[in-house]
Amino acid sequence: MITCNGNGSFDMLVIGVDKKMKALQRVPKEDVKALKVFVEERPDILDYTSLYVYHCASGSKVHTYLLVGLDNKPVQYATYEDFRVGRQILQAARKEKVRELALLIDTLEMDIPSLIDGLLYQNYEFIQYKTQASPNLVKNINLITASLQIKELNTLCYVYSSVYEGIYLARDLTNMPSNDLTPRKFADSVQELCKGENIHVESLNKWNLEKRHMGGIVAVGKGSMNPPQLVSVLYQGDPDSKDVLGLVGKGILYDSGGLSLKSHANLEFMKDDMAGAAVVLGVIRALMLLKYPVNVLAVMPLAENIPSGMSYRVDDVITMYNGKTVEVKNTDAEGRLVLADAVAYAQDKGATRIIDFATLTGACVTALGTVRSGMIGNDQEWMNRIFTMAERVHEKVWQFPADREYEKQLQSDIADLKNVGGPEAGAITAGLFIRQFIREGTPWIHFDIAGTAFLEKKDDLGYMGATGTGIKTVLEWLKGGQSS
């Protein structure tokens, strides 16, 4: 929980320090002298972004301070640095087993939204499967101010808390092992989570998918004993508007590659191949709290790509939901098949523009690593705005080109398309495959989050696992009712 000027108790107090030491006017009087002497003896801790934990003993009391250096701060700097400092503050607090964290934000000289963002980003753990572990999260975060508008700050705290409700949900789902999160269990979770007057849920089982001729989803899910599902959630925040943002998320609950089996090394962490579905569900969860006046349709195709005697094969030709035929040249290129059916279905359900999220290609990881998500689309003005918003909320993306020449790689000798291009530009051709199922005049953006959705190793601030990337960008776009 994060609030402004909440209760006065704290296990750790965060203050900004510089040569002028104005912050000492705000700390308990009994600690001022000791803090002043300590800082004078250690001028290095005054440097910009330096953090130091100081335990101050005054009589029988011991107060813990986190000193944040402010000196030599660049005149021009990106708010991403404040986001990083927020993460560092929370990381230091958790290391000290802090439950009540207070920050004298008037002393920190930081962009407050970025600070809040960083604090909440780092205040997460996934320990559901550790039988002996105890939670190590900061329970309450209190932003203390004497000069800023308290009501506005508390509103800001509520907005970010709601956003992170969605992000934490997406992280939890993505971190779950595949034996505990099958397509059916995911669909049941959606039914349980998405209840409200302006929420409508539709769940299609394998029989329904076959009846609707969703050949991509049915083919991918054929090999598993856990049949495929498709779940859609319509959030109607503005029933009078015909504008509907369609969010489509790849939901491969486990990806073995199918008959085009992955190597042992590439099988690890394939539980995260449903991160796209988790992201779009996370957006809906946040919207239920934020109540933005927008209409959003989240479509989640759910399947397991598992080899068996029932699996779809290389050289199969499948008929997709919109009637197009696809020649399968690699069963490990399954994500684009389920997404193709799902984006076509979203348009039939009324989506007037589409954003899809998918852990789609290793080629994107090769190109951009784990730093930026790939982006491709058919509406440059919209992509420019989304890029700006992503940067604003500290989710890094980069645009791939979408030249028609790349589409030649998808031409099939016997069908309308084949599901893979050549060895070149794999992230681009995968995105352009999905474009074949977007109707003329429908704005569309594809995010390849293969490198950013799940950190397989700890980053430089100690975080690993699912990130929930993409949720903040979409919500920033939707904020204020801007769905078109």
Side-chain angles (χ1 to χ4, degrees):
M1 180 179 181
I2 183 166
T3 56
C4 177
N5 283 12
N7 65 64
S9 63
F10 63 86
D11 301 326
M12 175 184 278
L13 183 64
V14 182
I15 61 174
V17 290
D18 56 15
K19 292 184 179 69
K20 298 178 181 179
M21 293 302 292
K22 292 182 179 178
L24 295 186
Q25 300 172 11
R26 306 288 307 280
V27 304
K29 293 180 180 179
E30 62 268 25
D31 296 337
V32 171
K33 184 176 180 180
L35 273 168
K36 187 174 182 180
V37 170
F38 174 74
V39 171
E40 288 174 350
E41 292 177 349
R42 288 288 307 274
D44 57 299
I45 68 173
L46 300 178
D47 291 338
Y48 176 58
T49 71
S50 171
L51 272 71
Y52 191 91
V53 177
Y54 178 68
H55 300 282
C56 187
S58 301
S60 59
K61 295 181 180 179
V62 177
H63 290 155
T64 301
Y65 293 91
L66 182 60
L67 310 179
V68 180
L70 300 175
D71 277 349
N72 304 315
K73 185 176 182 178
V75 175
Q76 293 183 333
Y77 77 104
T79 59
Y80 185 79
E81 294 305 317
D82 292 336
F83 169 70
R84 280 182 54 84
V85 172
R87 290 187 60 191
Q88 289 176 299
I89 290 172
L90 206 289
Q91 181 188 30
R94 290 182 62 187
K95 189 175 181 180
E96 293 289 318
K97 308 294 183 184
V98 169
R99 294 292 176 265
E100 304 279 340
L101 178 67
L103 299 90
L104 296 179
I105 57 174
D106 294 342
T107 72
L108 292 174
E109 300 178 8
M110 295 171 64
D111 179 65
I112 303 303
S114 298
L115 171 63
I116 295 172
D117 192 1
L119 293 169
L120 295 179
Y121 184 99
Q122 202 76 7
N123 198 29
Y124 172 84
E125 62 185 356
F126 186 76
I127 59 172
Q128 283 87 322
Y129 294 89
K130 287 183 173 289
T131 57
Q132 304 298 321
S134 298
N136 181 27
L137 297 174
V138 177
K139 185 178 179 181
N140 291 308
I141 302 171
N142 186 16
L143 308 179
I144 302 174
T145 180
S147 61
L148 301 177
Q149 293 292 325
I150 297 172
K151 185 177 180 180
E152 292 179 4
L153 273 176
N154 272 315
T155 298
L156 189 64
C157 288
Y158 178 80
V159 168
Y160 271 93
S161 295
S162 301
V163 170
Y164 270 90
E165 280 286 315
I167 291 174
Y168 296 155
L169 170 63
R171 289 179 178 180
D172 282 346
L173 290 170
T174 307
N175 283 326
M176 284 183 68
S178 300
N179 60 318
D180 269 3
L181 193 64
T182 63
R184 177 60 183 273
K185 289 180 179 178
F186 193 113
D188 289 345
S189 296
V190 175
Q191 294 275 7
E192 184 64 29
L193 287 165
C194 299
K195 294 179 180 179
E197 292 182 1
N198 60 342
I199 296 287
H200 307 276
V201 180
E202 177 189 59
S203 186
L204 304 179
N205 59 22
K206 182 182 177 183
W207 183 84
N208 296 131
L209 296 173
E210 290 174 341
K211 187 177 180 180
R212 286 168 172 78
H213 306 292
M214 294 191 181
I217 302 172
V218 171
V220 172
K222 278 173 62 177
S224 174
M225 64 181 290
N226 297 306
Q229 307 268 327
L230 183 139
V231 184
S232 61
V233 183
L234 176 62
Y235 167 87
Q236 281 190 301
D238 186 6
D240 296 329
S241 173
K242 294 183 179 180
D243 291 328
V244 180
L245 173 63
L247 295 177
V248 179
K250 174 186 172 184
I252 301 299
L253 280 300
Y254 190 79
D255 182 19
S256 70
L259 293 179
S260 303
L261 192 65
K262 295 179 183 288
S263 68
H264 178 270
N266 290 330
L267 285 172
E268 192 175 9
F269 301 115
M270 278 300 102
K271 66 178 184 178
D272 75 353
D273 214 19
M274 40 60 67
V279 165
V280 303
L281 181 59
V283 171
I284 295 294
R285 174 59 183 157
L287 284 173
M288 292 171 66
L289 299 170
L290 294 168
K291 303 187 185 305
Y292 287 167
V294 295
N295 300 321
V296 177
L297 173 68
V299 179
M300 295 156 274
L302 309 170
E304 292 179 340
N305 190 23
I306 302 289
S308 76
M310 297 292 291
S311 297
Y312 77 128
R313 298 157 292 246
V314 174
D315 287 339
D316 281 358
V317 175
I318 56 180
T319 302
M320 308 295 287
Y321 173 71
N322 71 346
K324 288 189 177 182
T325 56
V326 176
E327 181 186 13
V328 177
K329 284 301 183 183
N330 187 337
T331 65
D332 194 23
E334 85 297 331
R336 64 203 72 182
L337 295 176
V338 301
L339 285 171
D341 275 348
V343 298
Y345 188 63
Q347 291 166 96
D348 269 5
K349 294 272 286 184
T352 53
R353 58 179 63 227
I354 300 282
I355 299 177
D356 75 77
F357 289 93
T359 48
L360 203 60
T361 65
C364 186
V365 184
T366 300
L368 301 176
T370 60
V371 176
R372 289 184 180 267
S373 302
M375 176 175 68
I376 196 168
N378 64 2
D379 185 321
Q380 190 60 54
E381 182 182 355
W382 190 29
M383 284 193 290
N384 290 344
R385 295 173 68 185
I386 290 290
F387 179 87
T388 300
M389 292 175 180
E391 292 286 306
R392 185 187 304 163
V393 296
H394 317 304
E395 291 188 327
K396 296 183 177 182
V397 301
W398 200 253
Q399 183 180 339
F400 288 129
D403 304 83
R404 291 288 179 180
E405 289 88 339
Y406 290 112
E407 292 179 349
K408 294 179 180 179
Q409 296 185 41
L410 298 172
Q411 294 176 355
S412 166
D413 293 331
I414 64 170
D416 296 328
L417 298 165
K418 58 182 179 179
N419 74 325
V420 290
E424 301 173 349
I428 296 172
T429 57
L432 294 181
F433 179 92
I434 300 167
R435 184 165 73 176
Q436 309 310 306
F437 299 83
I438 301 295
R439 296 171 186 164
E440 190 70 30
T442 300
W444 159 76
I445 295 175
H446 159 68
F447 284 103
D448 192 331
I449 55 174
T452 54
F454 191 96
L455 302 181
E456 298 177 6
K457 299 178 181 178
K458 289 184 178 180
D459 66 10
D460 58 343
L461 294 177
Y463 185 84
M464 70 177 293
T467 62
T469 189
I471 293 175
K472 288 188 292 183
T473 298
V474 173
L475 291 171
E476 185 69 12
W477 161 253
L478 292 172
K479 186 169 64 177
Q482 295 182 4
S483 61
S484 62

